[in-house]
Amino acid sequence: MGSLSLYRKSLFHISVLFLPCFIGVTYCLEFQGLPPLISPPLIPEILNFLDQRLALVYPIIQVFKNTITSDPFSITQTWVGPDICNYRGFYCTSPPDNNSAVALASIDFNGFQLSAPTLDGFIDQLPDLALFHANSNKFSGSISPKITKLPFLYELDISNNNFSGNFPMEIFRIPGLSFLDIRFNFFTGTVPPQVFSLRLDALFLNNNNFIQKLPDNLGSTTALYLTLANNKFVGPIPRSIVKASATLKEVLFLNNLLAGCLPYELGFLRELVLFDAGNNLLTGPLPCSLGCLAKLEQLNLAGNLLYGQVPEVLCALGKLENLSLSSNYFTKLGPKCWKLMKKGVLDIKKNCINGLPGQRSVLECKAFSMHPRYCPYPASFNLIPCKVPSSSSHPRIGPKRNLVTYSALSRHAVDFPE
């Protein structure tokens, strides 16, 4: 910023005298004594902006400021004067198309609790915007189709707000989008399958009211972090999930209505650290392919209809810190799983294992076994598509790592590791 020449600063000092007519017709009408179409705050006669790009967005910010109906932390009191880069929540840098310019590149309203009826006419009018994060506010309305004209936008976070209606289709036309977070809103209906074909690093859809079968192209996602928790997704986990084997690190399917058997293909997700499909209607035995998930630290399948023996190859995973299989119908544990249970890594309460305390009643287990369940490709459940280590150091001792997708289950902004 200090590298701007005195000539350039002087030029802006002079040019803003004419800024009202340069910015838009509304201001020219005001000076001509005619009633304006809208009533944004008038630009003072002299404002010394650091860059013309900042001068252009100044009236847009001021118009949006006037639409805010609640500001409990007095955030907008800092939105005064030409120093936009020091407004709370606004961040400037050089845009990709001009290294010598200074532009409004990022907005971070996380936790501000601002209320406004819409974001239309605001973020879609900020031509250099690359990141918009607005977790934990009270914004509503819809996403403007004009947002697709922002050439640099790649992160959009409108989580924990009051947006409603169908999935915002406008996001499909944002060319560089790599991060989408719309959790904790009131979206309904279905998630278009195209979402899983976007080149995203993170996709957070949890805690809405989506009702549908998981699409067959689920595995087309490039996301490292995928959360679909706390909706009403139904049906089986698609076998296509194997296509995400090179990228997918954390998956949250918990608290939906997923049914069917776990696909053998889960064992090919070689980057997987966390898989949580607790509290669904999944059934069948656990595929032995899960023993190939060498990086797996957290596996939660509690609260389903799973049965049979817990595979020893799963209990032998060297990085496993938490294996939650409670409230199912498992009937047998091998010696490695017994050791895991004694160390507090395996939770096997409320199953059907003889000789263990805290299990289901005999009558409950018998009633379950009276209704046979069928899984397709039954031979695949005994296949182990990898070389299983002969020994493992187990489990790892030390502080637990913060998992990204679990932080998405709170209403706060997602906590990404440094």
Side-chain angles (χ1 to χ4, degrees):
M1 295 182 182
S3 63
L4 289 173
S5 65
L6 291 175
Y7 166 77
R8 190 173 182 182
K9 290 185 178 180
S10 299
L11 179 62
F12 271 99
H13 188 81
I14 296 170
S15 63
V16 292
L17 293 172
F18 304 96
L19 193 56
C21 288
F22 175 72
I23 292 296
V25 176
T26 298
Y27 297 108
C28 293
L29 292 175
E30 190 81 35
F31 287 117
Q32 294 169 11
L34 299 175
L37 298 176
I38 56 176
S39 299
L42 290 177
I43 300 178
E45 289 187 1
I46 298 178
L47 286 178
N48 190 13
F49 292 96
L50 189 61
D51 194 289
Q52 179 181 344
R53 294 181 186 235
L54 299 176
L56 288 171
V57 300
Y58 173 84
I60 297 165
I61 297 170
Q62 298 306 314
V63 169
F64 175 66
K65 177 181 176 179
N66 275 359
T67 70
I68 292 175
T69 57
S70 178
D71 179 10
F73 303 124
S74 302
I75 301 296
T76 59
Q77 289 185 10
T78 69
W79 299 0
V80 177
D83 193 3
I84 293 173
C85 302
N86 280 324
Y87 288 7
R88 280 195 66 186
F90 292 81
Y91 300 90
C92 301
T93 191
S94 298
D97 61 348
N98 188 344
N99 290 334
S100 64
V102 178
L104 174 59
S106 173
I107 293 177
D108 185 351
F109 289 168
N110 287 347
F112 285 0
Q113 298 184 28
L114 300 173
S115 296
T118 183
L119 293 175
D120 286 6
F122 177 48
I123 59 174
D124 52 285
Q125 298 298 314
L126 303 175
D128 299 302
L129 192 65
L131 295 87
F132 182 75
H133 288 210
N135 169 270
S136 298
N137 287 276
K138 297 178 182 178
F139 298 135
S140 57
S142 59
I143 304 299
S144 170
K146 295 179 182 178
I147 199 173
T148 62
K149 297 181 180 180
L150 303 182
F152 309 130
L153 185 65
Y154 68 92
E155 290 194 9
L156 180 62
D157 177 0
I158 55 171
S159 58
N160 196 23
N161 279 279
N162 295 325
F163 292 97
S164 60
N166 293 326
F167 185 92
M169 302 295 287
E170 293 78 15
I171 65 104
F172 293 120
R173 295 172 55 203
I174 302 175
L177 193 67
S178 64
F179 177 96
L180 179 63
D181 187 350
I182 62 171
R183 61 197 164 89
F184 286 101
N185 278 288
F186 300 93
F187 292 113
T188 58
T190 62
V191 177
Q194 314 81 295
V195 171
F196 299 101
S197 296
L198 295 174
R199 303 293 296 178
L200 298 174
D201 295 326
L203 176 59
F204 300 132
L205 306 180
N206 54 285
N207 295 85
N208 280 283
N209 292 305
F210 294 122
I211 306 174
Q212 70 180 94
K213 179 183 175 183
L214 287 180
D216 290 336
N217 72 330
L218 176 74
S220 298
T221 184
T222 60
L224 284 68
Y225 309 104
L226 175 65
T227 69
L228 306 181
N230 299 313
N231 283 285
K232 294 181 178 65
F233 288 103
V234 301
I237 298 172
R239 297 176 65 198
S240 71
I241 197 169
V242 67
K243 295 179 181 179
S245 61
T247 53
L248 204 53
K249 290 185 175 182
E250 299 183 21
V251 183
L252 296 189
F253 289 153
L254 71 156
N255 297 329
N256 280 286
L257 300 170
L258 299 178
C261 303
L262 291 172
Y264 157 80
E265 288 78 8
L266 284 177
F268 290 90
L269 300 179
R270 58 180 181 270
E271 299 299 321
L272 198 64
V273 173
L274 163 64
F275 187 85
D276 192 330
N279 295 322
N280 281 281
L281 301 171
L282 297 167
T283 191
L286 293 182
C288 289
S289 64
L290 296 177
C292 296
L293 301 176
K295 296 183 179 181
L296 190 67
E297 297 177 10
Q298 305 269 344
L299 177 61
N300 179 23
L301 296 169
N304 281 284
L305 304 171
L306 301 165
Y307 57 86
Q309 178 174 351
V310 180
E312 283 283 88
V313 288
L314 173 59
C315 293
L317 289 174
K319 293 188 176 181
L320 201 59
E321 296 178 353
N322 182 31
L323 176 57
S324 298
L325 300 177
S326 61
S327 299
N328 281 285
Y329 293 87
F330 292 108
T331 54
K332 189 176 180 182
L333 290 181
K336 291 182 180 178
C337 292
W338 275 91
K339 289 180 181 178
L340 216 60
M341 181 190 65
K342 291 178 179 178
K343 291 179 179 179
V345 175
L346 170 60
D347 183 357
I348 198 71
K349 293 189 294 291
K350 288 198 69 178
N351 278 274
C352 299
I353 301 173
N354 288 332
L356 275 185
Q359 299 296 292
R360 295 181 185 272
S361 68
V362 173
L363 288 178
E364 195 175 1
C365 294
K366 185 176 181 180
F368 178 83
S369 65
M370 293 294 289
H371 300 278
R373 288 156 175 83
Y374 170 76
C375 288
Y377 314 105
S380 68
F381 285 88
N382 294 318
L383 297 178
I384 305 174
C386 65
K387 183 178 180 180
V388 179
S390 57
S391 61
S392 60
S393 56
H394 181 74
R396 184 176 63 187
I397 299 174
K400 290 188 177 181
R401 180 173 57 161
N402 287 331
L403 295 166
V404 171
T405 49
Y406 273 158
S407 71
L409 295 179
S410 75
R411 290 183 175 270
H412 303 296
V414 174
D415 183 20
F416 280 90
E418 294 296 332

